[in-house]
Amino acid sequence: MFFALPNLRSSSVTECPAPWNFQCSVPDDVRGAENKGKRDEWINSPETRHQVYSAFEGVNPSVRISEPKTVGEEGNPPFRLHAFVGDYDTTLSEVELQAGIARVPFRPNYYEKTLSGNARMVWLFERPVTFPNLRFAEEFLKLALIRVKADSLAASLDKPAWGTPNRYYTNSGDWYTVDLQARIPASLLQGWVLEVSEKHVWKKDRGSIEIPLPVVWTELQKKFPEASSWNGDFTEGAMGPTFWVPGSTSPKSAIVKTTGLFTFSATRRSRSTAGPT
């Protein structure tokens, strides 16, 4: 699933399941590296009806992802990520493209030739990844860049764009299939989430009270009969189901910390998708 704006002045988002199927008519004078000025003017016009897409889904899926502009403002942080998008600031010949794809550990699914004539690659997920906040999403993208090695496909990868959740991409309508079957495994993505969570500074950890985990586990079993679905020891760093959230089905969507249980369940619940019980 992808999410799109009609132009870069808009804040209204609609679902676009497959941007590679988007049928569009792009003015000839906005194509090509030499027409960047006209292209920017066109895609930033409120009158333009096109598709500017993102693989990120916001907490409010109908509104553009945004960072807070003032203290106390929430903005619309990312909630889910459905794919990786890699923008390359260069053109790639067929030989260069195939050589680059052979260098990365995960085959991309689609190659888009952008309106400037450069390359853009899309890696789809087996299942989307959820995030508790903007900072966590940014840390996840940094780790994912190392694991996916997207910059090995071509040295011209736009790393700032890769690491920015509120970045949207103008659909060129010029797409090519690389591998329809490839997907980055959900178990691997969840492992990267766990890796980030172990280093992430949780705001609620600061000054929080640590309760012995055996005591916590005893009380949880009293309050939540569904806790019986937890397999293995209830120790710091252990992972298990988000048994206290109705509708959560992932067996490894929660992690135990001495200051609370944190969940990455894909079930949409509230403004925050992770936090201590």
Side-chain angles (χ1 to χ4, degrees):
M1 183 64 69
F2 289 74
F3 300 82
L5 307 163
N7 57 70
L8 284 177
R9 285 286 297 277
S10 177
S11 61
S12 180
V13 170
T14 57
E15 293 182 359
C16 61
W20 41 89
N21 291 333
F22 180 60
Q23 301 296 313
C24 61
S25 177
V26 178
D28 291 337
D29 62 353
V30 305
R31 288 187 180 272
E34 70 281 4
N35 291 321
K36 185 179 187 307
K38 290 183 179 180
R39 183 165 57 253
D40 288 346
E41 182 180 355
W42 168 72
I43 201 59
N44 280 281
S45 170
E47 304 302 320
T48 296
R49 291 294 177 267
H50 192 63
Q51 187 184 85
V52 192
Y53 67 90
S54 170
F56 271 101
E57 175 183 356
V59 169
N60 183 343
S62 299
V63 177
R64 182 176 185 162
I65 293 173
S66 62
E67 298 183 38
K69 296 180 180 178
T70 60
V71 177
E73 185 182 78
E74 291 188 338
N76 188 36
F79 171 68
R80 287 192 184 111
L81 178 62
H82 297 255
F84 293 128
V85 179
D87 222 23
Y88 296 86
D89 295 329
T90 188
T91 59
L92 294 177
S93 68
E94 179 66 22
V95 172
E96 291 171 328
L97 179 63
Q98 294 302 325
I101 291 172
R103 286 193 295 268
V104 294
F106 303 97
R107 287 178 62 80
N109 302 91
Y110 293 96
Y111 159 58
E112 179 186 3
K113 187 176 181 180
T114 70
L115 291 177
S116 62
N118 294 334
R120 182 178 295 146
M121 312 301 295
V122 173
W123 289 263
L124 299 177
F125 297 170
E126 189 176 54
R127 285 199 302 271
V129 179
T130 61
F131 301 112
N133 55 55
L134 172 62
R135 179 60 182 159
F136 193 101
E138 292 171 339
E139 292 171 358
F140 177 84
L141 290 173
K142 288 181 181 178
L143 176 63
L145 177 57
I146 298 172
R147 298 291 186 263
V148 176
K149 298 182 179 179
D151 52 349
S152 294
L153 193 150
S156 59
L157 176 71
D158 186 342
K159 293 183 180 179
W162 174 281
T164 304
N166 60 0
R167 173 68 179 266
Y168 286 78
Y169 299 92
T170 303
N171 198 329
S172 68
D174 195 0
W175 291 79
Y176 304 87
T177 300
V178 178
D179 191 330
L180 290 178
Q181 303 303 317
R183 294 289 189 279
I184 298 183
S187 58
L188 193 60
L189 292 164
Q190 195 64 36
W192 298 350
V193 168
L194 175 60
E195 191 173 343
V196 173
S197 71
E198 291 173 341
K199 298 178 181 178
H200 182 73
V201 178
W202 299 94
K203 185 166 72 171
K204 292 183 179 180
D205 278 358
R206 302 176 187 139
S208 57
I209 298 173
E210 294 190 10
I211 303 173
L213 289 177
V215 176
V216 173
W217 182 232
T218 298
E219 294 303 314
L220 284 174
Q221 292 178 88
K222 293 178 182 177
K223 186 175 181 180
F224 300 100
E226 299 84 356
S228 61
S229 62
W230 190 279
N231 291 319
D233 296 332
F234 191 82
T235 55
E236 184 170 11
M239 296 184 69
T242 305
F243 54 80
W244 67 95
V245 177
S248 177
T249 58
S250 174
K252 297 289 184 180
S253 58
I255 180 172
V256 180
K257 294 171 67 68
T258 56
T259 51
L261 268 171
F262 291 81
T263 178
F264 300 92
S265 170
T267 301
R268 183 180 296 280
R269 296 186 293 134
S270 62
R271 163 66 177 78
S272 176
T273 61
T277 58

